[in-house]
Amino acid sequence: MELKNMVSLVSRTGRHLQRYNFHGHRQVVGCIPYRYKSVNGKSVVDEDAIEVLLISSQRKGKGMLFPKGGWEEDESIKDAALRETVEEAGVLGDVGSELGKWCFQSNNNGNCYEGRMFPLLVKEQLEFWPEKDVRQRIWISVREARKVCHYWWMKEALEKLVSRLTSHGQGVVEAKTESCSREEGSLTHSSKVLKVF
């Protein structure tokens, strides 16, 4: 009997294995699950051919977001991103290269976090997953995701994914590096060129 696609129906809990960066900010990772509606034999994909999967927040009124959660010491960054996506959204697939790193401040407690996002090309959608009873999931267009995604940094990650997947990705990608200041409660931005495709 092959067990390679067995999924635990219980989410990890606790913070005893949680990773923190050198500033003491909790490190969180996640994925933007995506699929192609249809490419009709085209070699270049436009954003209308892409759908992304968003999930509801566990907190009422906090809107829609991409799956994300804590990166723990006993797992690689990609394994953590996939685990969080399985737990929260119930999908499996191929995790791509990192879309970026953002520093953001929680509106709930004022804490700063370091977040990293990855693309996940969905290969399987599970009928049962750990947070099925506390979250809704919905496939929507990129255009709609821009409107309903609650977090600015996830919207930036979405733009990087779209750029990577479409003809717009055939040029220079600009990345924003950010730092979070507890004292000021603000974010500072600077831009630099990361790579040319």
Side-chain angles (χ1 to χ4, degrees), residues 169-193:
Q170 303 301 312
V172 176
V173 173
E174 185 178 308
K176 291 182 180 174
T177 57
E178 299 165 359
S179 60
C180 182
S181 168
R182 286 181 194 264
E183 296 77 36
E184 298 172 19
S186 63
L187 295 172
T188 56
H189 302 274
S190 63
S191 295
K192 64 181 177 181
V193 173

Side-chain angles (χ1 to χ4, degrees), residues 2-172:
E2 191 171 326
L3 300 175
K4 93 175 180 177
N5 284 337
M6 293 249 344
V7 174
S8 170
L9 292 179
V10 178
S11 294
R12 279 190 173 196
T13 59
R15 299 268 164 88
H16 63 284
L17 293 176
Q18 182 60 59
R19 291 181 190 247
Y20 295 85
N21 70 10
F22 64 93
H23 293 297
H25 303 159
R26 183 173 171 231
Q27 294 179 306
V28 297
V29 295
C31 288
I32 299 179
Y34 73 96
R35 67 185 181 190
Y36 296 105
K37 287 192 291 191
S38 130
V39 290
N40 297 331
K42 298 179 192 174
S43 60
V44 175
V45 175
D46 69 18
E47 76 175 49
D48 292 334
I50 304 165
E51 289 183 317
V52 294
L53 184 70
L54 280 101
I55 58 172
S56 61
S57 173
Q58 285 186 323
R59 295 187 188 101
K60 292 200 186 274
K62 294 294 182 181
M64 302 296 284
L65 63 148
F66 295 110
K68 62 108 178 102
W71 175 19
E72 298 186 358
E73 293 175 357
D74 64 341
E75 58 193 348
S76 72
I77 192 168
K78 283 187 173 183
D79 287 345
L82 180 59
R83 175 185 51 78
E84 286 294 340
T85 303
V86 170
E87 287 177 359
E88 295 183 354
V91 291
L92 295 165
D94 299 330
V95 179
S97 60
E98 186 176 307
L99 294 166
K101 176 172 70 172
W102 292 265
C103 183
F104 61 95
Q105 192 169 17
S106 169
N107 291 333
N108 295 330
N109 57 26
N111 290 341
C112 288
Y113 295 85
E114 177 185 284
R116 297 172 188 239
M117 294 297 286
F118 294 84
L120 177 83
L121 178 57
V122 173
K123 301 289 188 180
E124 183 178 357
Q125 188 165 305
L126 304 173
E127 186 177 342
F128 301 101
W129 69 97
E131 298 186 16
K132 177 182 180 172
D133 294 334
V134 294
R135 295 189 190 271
Q136 296 177 349
R137 64 182 178 191
I138 184 169
W139 285 101
I140 60 176
S141 69
V142 169
R143 188 171 288 112
E144 189 65 22
R146 287 183 182 114
K147 295 176 190 172
V148 301
C149 183
H150 186 71
Y151 297 107
W152 66 266
W153 64 279
M154 288 185 174
K155 290 179 183 182
E156 284 189 8
L158 176 61
E159 292 310 317
K160 287 186 177 194
L161 174 62
V162 170
S163 179
R164 187 180 290 179
L165 297 176
T166 64
S167 60
H168 304 295
Q170 303 301 312
V172 176

